[in-house]
Amino acid sequence: MWKHLVVKGVPWMSKKRDRTPTESSPLIPKPENTEEDEEELDHVTSECQTGTNNGRDGNGSTFARFQAWMNYSLMDYFLKYSLFLCNLTFTVLGLVVLGLGMWGLISKESFAQERIGSIGTDPMLTVMTVGVLLTLLCLTGCVGALRENCCLLKVFSATVLVLISAQVLFAIVAYSLQDQIGDYLRSGMLAAMARYQDDLDLRFITDEIQINLQCCGADTYRDWEINMYYNCSAPGVLACGVPATCCVDPLENGTVWNSQCGVGAQLLDEFTAQSVIFLGGCLGGISRWIEQHEGLIGTVGIIIVGVQILAVFITTRVLESIKWHKVHA
């Protein structure tokens, strides 16, 4: 009976053991052979059961792992390429700012030997520096996200965290030291007015402030006496005058720009001068503008900081996903 079961259940066992009687083997098997058959049957049965269970467990765990990997990788790809595209956009923006700064310095010949000494106070140098820093920072995040480089992503995340801290600290200091900032702003504007004729960038900025805020000078229109060309002791035609951007109506007949409309304005009393030029200083205009738009300024600041915090969060998530894939690869 056991012989029949072994042959039926495990056909290959008959190939291992020849049951045909020969001259050297007896016709009736010995009892120990029956015990060996039983051991072989138990061994084969246990191997079949173990193999079946292992196959089921292996397939189940493999499927679960594959399904988890698929769900995770979709989010991983979304975050990765979102970070890449965002940084790519700001990299292009940084290159544009860098190009504008370089163009401004080259067009004004700021690298010439006679002007290289004052290049440190050139506004275009600040613009170019901002462009370089923005390009390097965003390019680091862009390449780090695309190449899944943990080192670059960590540098990008740490730099953005430093920027967030600096912006929050600046906002706190600016709110608590408003008077001191006003003094610094006054000094900066007076310096810009003193170099009004010599620096095209400072001239453009000053003109834009005076036109948009309808103001003249820092505190009053008489501040223009600080300029060597508008000083009353100057020999030129601009003596005791103010720039045309201080005029109430600098256009004649609405079409022609009258650059001489502010000539001699400092010699007029305030009652007469108010019909010709704006009497109020630009510092007061800036303060009023900030008070009127403080809600918008706060909203823009919160959005900027929020975008940076989101960038740090996405970068951290991408770093975690990179480490996860390296472990389970």
Side-chain angles (χ1 to χ4, degrees), residues 216-234:
C216 186
D219 296 305
T220 177
Y221 66 98
R222 297 188 186 277
D223 290 337
W224 278 103
E225 192 174 358
I226 196 174
N227 187 279
M228 60 181 299
Y229 297 99
Y230 293 108
N231 191 283
C232 292
S233 61

Side-chain angles (χ1 to χ4, degrees), residues 80-188:
K80 172 184 174 180
Y81 287 106
S82 296
L83 184 63
F84 167 73
L85 292 176
C86 181
N87 280 284
L88 180 62
T89 302
F90 281 98
T91 300
V92 175
L93 179 62
L95 290 175
V96 171
V97 174
L98 175 61
L100 289 176
M102 288 295 298
W103 174 78
L105 291 175
I106 294 173
S107 63
K108 295 190 305 178
E109 299 181 355
S110 299
F111 296 104
Q113 186 175 1
E114 61 275 8
R115 297 185 180 181
I116 195 69
S118 60
I119 194 174
T121 58
D122 198 316
M124 288 293 106
L125 182 63
T126 304
V127 174
M128 188 180 69
T129 304
V130 171
V132 170
L133 295 178
L134 182 62
T135 301
L136 290 178
L137 175 61
C138 296
L139 190 62
T140 300
C142 184
V143 176
L146 184 63
R147 302 295 300 174
E148 297 184 356
N149 190 304
C150 293
C151 182
L152 292 179
L153 290 177
K154 288 179 180 179
V155 171
F156 172 77
S157 179
T159 306
V160 174
L161 281 175
V162 171
L163 288 177
I164 293 173
S165 302
Q167 291 168 6
V168 173
L169 182 62
F170 175 79
I172 296 174
V173 171
Y175 183 78
S176 59
L177 301 177
Q178 297 181 16
D179 296 336
Q180 290 83 345
I181 292 177
D183 294 337
Y184 288 129
L185 188 59
R186 178 180 289 102
S187 301

Side-chain angles (χ1 to χ4, degrees), residues 185-196 199 202 206 226-227:
L185 188 59
R186 178 180 289 102
S187 301
M189 188 162 187
L190 290 175
M193 292 168 60
R195 298 176 55 190
Y196 179 80
D199 194 307
L202 295 177
T206 304
I226 196 174
N227 187 279

Side-chain angles (χ1 to χ4, degrees), residues 286-316:
I286 293 174
S287 300
R288 289 189 296 271
W289 187 89
I290 293 176
E291 291 176 358
Q292 293 173 359
H293 300 84
E294 59 183 358
L296 178 62
I297 295 173
T299 303
V300 172
I302 292 174
I303 291 175
I304 293 175
V305 175
V307 169
Q308 293 173 350
I309 294 175
L310 182 61
V312 173
F313 172 77
I314 293 177
T315 305
T316 305

Side-chain angles (χ1 to χ4, degrees), residues 148-150 320-329:
E148 297 184 356
N149 190 304
C150 293
E320 292 177 354
S321 105
I322 293 173
K323 294 178 181 178
W324 188 90
H325 282 293
K326 286 183 179 179
V327 171
H328 295 84

